Amino acid sequence: MTDTSPSPLVVTMGDPAGVGPQITVSAWEQLRQESACAFFVIGAPDLYAGRVPVETISHPSEAGKVFTTALPVLPLDSVPDVQDGTPDAAAAAAIIASIEQATAFCLDGTADGMVTNPINKALLYGAGFRHPGHTEFVATLCAEATNTPLQPVMLLTGGGLRVALATIHVALKDVFAQLNTDDLIRLGKIVEASMRKDFGIASPRLAFTGLNPHAGENGTIGREEIDIINPAAATLRAAGIDMSDARSADTVFAESLDGRFDSIIAMTHDQGLIPVKTLDMWGGVNTTLGLPIIRTSPDHGTGYDAAASGTARPDSLIAAIRQARMIANNRKQIS
């Protein structure tokens, strides 16, 4: 019989000079009485010890035993002393190591899911980081560990919307070359499966946005909808997935809020993030689909200014922790 008992969630350190330590502490303070949301953080205990009670642990299994009284921290070596709000390249190796260790804990089942604090990619390049973003790095770690090619999908939730992205961290001028029917078909299948197993929606209704204004107006403002997006939608419908043809991006998000669609697949990064962040700037969650593990993240960056002033808000991290637990529970119920 499959073990359905919960393991803790693991939270990565993120950039220690950013808002990560502050929002982690605030999240623990607000969630400490919710045993289902028990988590531990991989980082330097000193980052948190001056703010809340801290309990150093040697194994993730110890986290749940101390969570109500102290923030569980699994120590990470070589984290330099940093000043809030002042990025330090000396922390790069430790930032990367925290992500690597958290991913490994999720892959072996020691943790039920990982919640990643924000990083600054430019800070990491000197330490060998060669990925377009956090999402792609975690996907690469999973692919290498499982020897399986993966298509990571960024899903943003907030303000009543669930929005997946067809392209992520690419220049807008390159979207036209990257967008293709086969990837959209795979993407539609990944999103539909996630809506069922992760979000508990029995019959998901999905929509593609158009790439061009007014979804191309029957080819008069671009043919990507006719040549790329709508053929993918037709293939998905033939496979039994409730997927719309490309719909105008200036109306489809309102249609979703009105209950017509359960999730939208946007063609570009900003096309999808603008409505989510406008509706819920502080509580949005970034979830990576298409992985063998659960990974969520607050939908914001390192926030050096907020870290320096001590004004960081934990809303998004708390929402990410709760969403990771919800997904883990839903997956356990169907396993």
Side-chain angles (χ1 to χ4, degrees):
M1 178 179 294
T2 302
D3 182 11
T4 59
S5 60
S7 295
L9 301 171
V10 54
V11 174
T12 64
M13 177 179 67
D15 190 324
V19 296
Q22 294 176 27
I23 61 176
T24 299
V25 163
S26 296
W28 174 78
E29 288 178 317
Q30 294 193 37
L31 296 173
R32 56 186 292 194
Q33 300 305 324
E34 299 182 32
S35 59
C37 290
F39 66 85
F40 66 98
V41 60
I42 300 175
D46 288 347
L47 285 172
Y48 317 97
R51 313 175 199 255
V52 293
V54 167
E55 184 75 27
T56 299
I57 62 174
S58 59
H59 190 271
S61 61
E62 301 168 26
K65 302 172 186 176
V66 303
F67 186 72
T68 59
T69 57
L71 172 65
V73 180
L74 192 108
L76 189 65
D77 294 333
S78 304
V79 182
D81 291 333
V82 297
Q83 181 177 344
D84 290 344
T86 304
D88 188 341
I95 295 168
I96 294 171
S98 180
I99 300 167
E100 292 172 333
Q101 191 168 357
T103 303
F105 282 141
C106 292
L107 285 167
D108 69 15
T110 307
D112 272 350
M114 65 187 291
V115 183
T116 56
N117 266 309
I119 62 172
N120 175 358
K121 299 186 296 294
L123 190 79
L124 306 184
Y125 290 146
F129 191 84
R130 292 293 181 269
H131 304 273
H134 217 152
T135 296
E136 294 87 349
F137 180 41
V138 175
T140 297
L141 293 174
C142 291
E144 291 174 349
T146 61
N147 197 30
T148 303
L150 299 172
Q151 180 180 353
V153 175
M154 183 182 288
L155 177 79
L156 290 307
T157 57
L161 294 174
R162 302 181 190 93
V163 183
L165 303 181
T167 60
I168 309 178
H169 300 114
V170 299
L172 190 58
K173 66 181 177 61
D174 296 329
V175 168
F176 299 89
Q178 290 205 9
L179 210 59
N180 66 83
T181 298
D182 288 343
D183 281 350
L184 288 178
I185 292 169
R186 285 191 288 269
L187 174 56
K189 290 178 178 179
I190 290 170
V191 173
E192 194 267 347
S194 175
M195 291 301 107
R196 286 187 289 102
K197 72 178 182 179
D198 296 339
F199 291 86
I201 301 170
S203 301
R205 299 158 301 162
L206 311 181
F208 280 133
T209 67
L211 178 63
N212 299 296
H214 306 299
E217 283 193 356
N218 297 317
T220 61
I221 317 179
R223 292 191 54 86
E224 283 78 14
E225 290 77 14
I226 293 172
D227 296 338
I228 298 173
I229 302 171
N230 291 346
T235 299
L236 290 166
R237 287 193 295 272
I241 294 174
D242 187 347
M243 170 63 77
S244 79
D245 280 344
R247 301 187 68 78
S248 180
D250 61 6
T251 58
V252 70
F253 297 101
E255 291 176 324
S256 183
L257 289 172
D258 285 341
R260 184 168 181 180
F261 301 111
D262 298 302
S263 184
I264 297 168
I265 297 176
M267 295 300 112
T268 70
H269 180 278
D270 284 6
Q271 188 187 62
L273 266 67
I274 287 171
V276 173
K277 289 193 173 183
T278 299
L279 291 168
D280 192 359
M281 180 62 188
W282 300 109
V285 177
N286 171 12
T287 301
T288 305
L289 312 183
L291 303 180
I293 66 171
I294 295 166
R295 182 256 174 160
T296 66
S297 177
D299 186 23
H300 58 69
T302 50
Y304 292 124
D305 289 346
S309 63
T311 58
R313 291 180 54 160
D315 312 47
S316 189
L317 179 61
I318 292 170
I321 291 168
R322 286 192 168 126
Q323 185 150 298
R325 175 47 62 197
M326 177 199 73
I327 292 173
N329 289 347
N330 285 341
R331 289 190 183 184
K332 288 174 183 288
Q333 288 178 6
I334 64 174
S335 63

